[in-house]
Every structure is written in C-alpha cells, then in structure tokens.
Amino acid sequence: GESVGLHLPTLSVQEGDNSIINCAYSNSASDYFIWYKQESGKGPQFIIDIRSNMDKRQGQRVTVLLNKTVKHLSLQIAATQPGDSAVYFCAENSPNDYKLSFGAGTTVTVRA
Amino acid sequence: GAVVSQHPSRVICKSGTSVKIECRSLDFQATTMFWYRQFPKKSLMLMATSNEGSKATYEQGVEKDKFLINHASLTLSTLTVTSAHPEDSSFYICSARSRGTSSETQYFGPGTRLLVL
C-alpha cells in the first residue's frame, strides 16, 4: 500500500481564509518531504519542501510543518485564493534511491 | 529554471499501435528521470526510473517490454507504449532530477494524455 497518505480527500475553503492540508507518512527513514500542487490536466508543481532535520519551513503564503514523532506533515496556505484550487499531494523521498512516494491527494476548492 | 517539457501533450491512437512520449529537461541536465502514470482522480504511480546511459529500472508490475524507456542524453528520456490497448489510456507524467546536485527534488513535466481507441 501507499506509505504516504492524506487524512481528507477534499477541503472546501472560503476565499481569504487559511487552509490546512494534512498528510501522514509511515516510513520513519524518509528524510525529505515535498508538497506539490496539481491543477486539472497539468503536471505537479513544486510548492515547498522540508528536510527531516527541520520542523517548519515557510515560503510565500505557504508553511510546511513536520512532526516526526507522529509522522505527520501539513501544508498551510494563508489567505487562500481562487487560484489555489487544485489537488495537493505530499510526497516523501526514499533516502536510498531518490524515489518519491505520493499520498492520495487532497482536492482543495476555494469558495468565492 | 528547472523546466521539464513533454511531447506530445495529447495523443489519440488506435489499439495495437505504438506511441512515443518525449520528456526533456530544458534548462538543466538530468541524470535521472522518472516516469509516472496517473488515472483520473488518483495519485501518481511510479512506473520506472530512467538513468542516462543505462537501462531503466521498473517498478513491480510494470511490463518493461510494453513500456520501453530510453534515456539517451542528459536532457531527453522517451517512453514508448508498445501495442497500446484501451487500458493503457492514462495521463503519463515524467519528472527529472538535476545533475550534480544532491537535491532530491523532482521537477515534473506537464503530462501527456494518452487515449487508446
């Protein structure tokens, strides 16, 4: 089965609110995690990444939190905009072969 | 930087024919490229890892004789779906890792939609 999974398959957010997308992973050896955004009919787009020696990393309007104790990853999007509507995938990196394992994805829909 | 392109973006073919999909890293050299397939409303499933100048390694359950992968240069990998059948219809996406870096980040192409009639 998948080693990375998401708690909720869909998330509906009011425009302007903050979004939180969660992800659980099972491989405690994973050392690198990435969040990708995929719009309909397009390839995944890199959003933000974090290494296992960190617990928080911030980008532009996005923050990734990593809790290694419970093997949990989250993506926070501030002031969600209509353009943020997409499917969001977390991915974990296998340290030996650089393969990525993807979670099931969360579909984020922004309400105007 | 780190742009990956795919060609074609969409292809429709008859059952039994072969289809070639190209994946190019436009502004960097990629020692490793990955091929994924994605069914509607599903996640990405890794098919194979393509290393420049060597044979591709396939994930369990992926037929290497059906999905031929060639990585002839540091900027180009091709996936050929041989004797395509309707069940091969899917969204095929490639990704690339940059050469000379320890970064595990994969940059993805825009995907190729394959429809086999």
Side-chain angles (χ1 to χ4, degrees):
Chain A
E2 291 178 303
S3 62
V4 178
L6 288 161
H7 291 314
L8 294 174
T10 62
L11 177 67
S12 181
V13 182
Q14 184 69 39
E15 182 179 357
D17 288 352
N18 297 333
S19 303
I20 299 177
I21 306 167
N22 296 305
C23 178
Y25 66 95
S26 59
N27 186 357
S28 56
S30 294
D31 59 355
Y32 178 63
F33 304 87
I34 312 171
W35 280 101
Y36 288 96
K37 171 187 179 183
Q38 186 179 30
E39 296 176 310
S40 181
K42 298 182 179 180
Q45 175 188 357
F46 173 90
I47 300 175
I48 192 168
D49 59 0
I50 188 168
R51 296 195 175 276
S52 58
N53 61 352
M54 303 173 67
D55 54 19
K56 181 179 180 178
R57 189 155 189 244
Q58 287 184 294
Q60 187 176 13
R61 277 201 310 118
V62 294
T63 300
V64 55
L65 299 177
L66 175 63
N67 186 330
K68 293 181 288 294
T69 302
V70 295
K71 289 185 281 190
H72 182 269
L73 191 69
S74 69
L75 176 70
Q76 300 177 2
I77 305 174
T80 311
Q81 302 169 358
D84 294 327
S85 293
V87 179
Y88 290 80
F89 292 97
C90 63
E92 62 176 320
N93 176 74
S94 170
N96 297 321
D97 54 21
Y98 297 111
K99 292 181 181 179
L100 290 180
S101 295
F102 282 81
T106 294
T107 301
V108 173
T109 302
V110 181
R111 306 188 307 272
Chain B
V3 178
V4 177
S5 70
Q6 281 184 242
H7 179 79
S9 57
R10 300 172 65 92
V11 57
I12 301 173
C13 68
K14 293 181 179 180
S15 185
T17 61
S18 294
V19 175
K20 180 185 282 188
I21 302 170
E22 293 185 348
C23 177
R24 293 182 185 272
S25 55
L26 297 185
D27 51 1
F28 66 100
Q29 292 182 323
T31 48
T32 306
M33 289 183 171
F34 302 86
W35 287 96
Y36 297 81
R37 67 187 298 181
Q38 185 179 33
F39 291 106
K41 300 188 184 301
K42 297 294 183 182
S43 188
L44 282 76
M45 296 300 296
L46 180 65
M47 298 175 65
T49 302
S50 171
N51 292 298
E52 187 267 337
S54 63
K55 289 184 178 180
T57 56
Y58 291 79
E59 295 301 299
Q60 190 173 8
V62 178
E63 299 176 58
K64 60 178 172 47
D65 293 330
K66 180 166 186 64
F67 299 100
L68 301 178
I69 292 172
N70 183 279
H71 193 158
S73 77
L74 286 171
T75 60
L76 173 65
S77 176
T78 61
L79 168 68
T80 301
V81 183
T82 62
S83 186
H85 290 284
E87 58 266 29
D88 298 324
S89 299
S90 189
F91 193 49
Y92 291 88
I93 311 171
C94 72
S95 69
R97 284 183 59 238
S98 179
R99 180 190 190 194
T101 176
S102 61
S103 171
E104 301 89 335
T105 304
Q106 292 182 25
Y107 297 95
F108 285 82
T112 296
R113 178 78 60 192
L114 171 63
L115 176 61
V116 184
L117 302 176

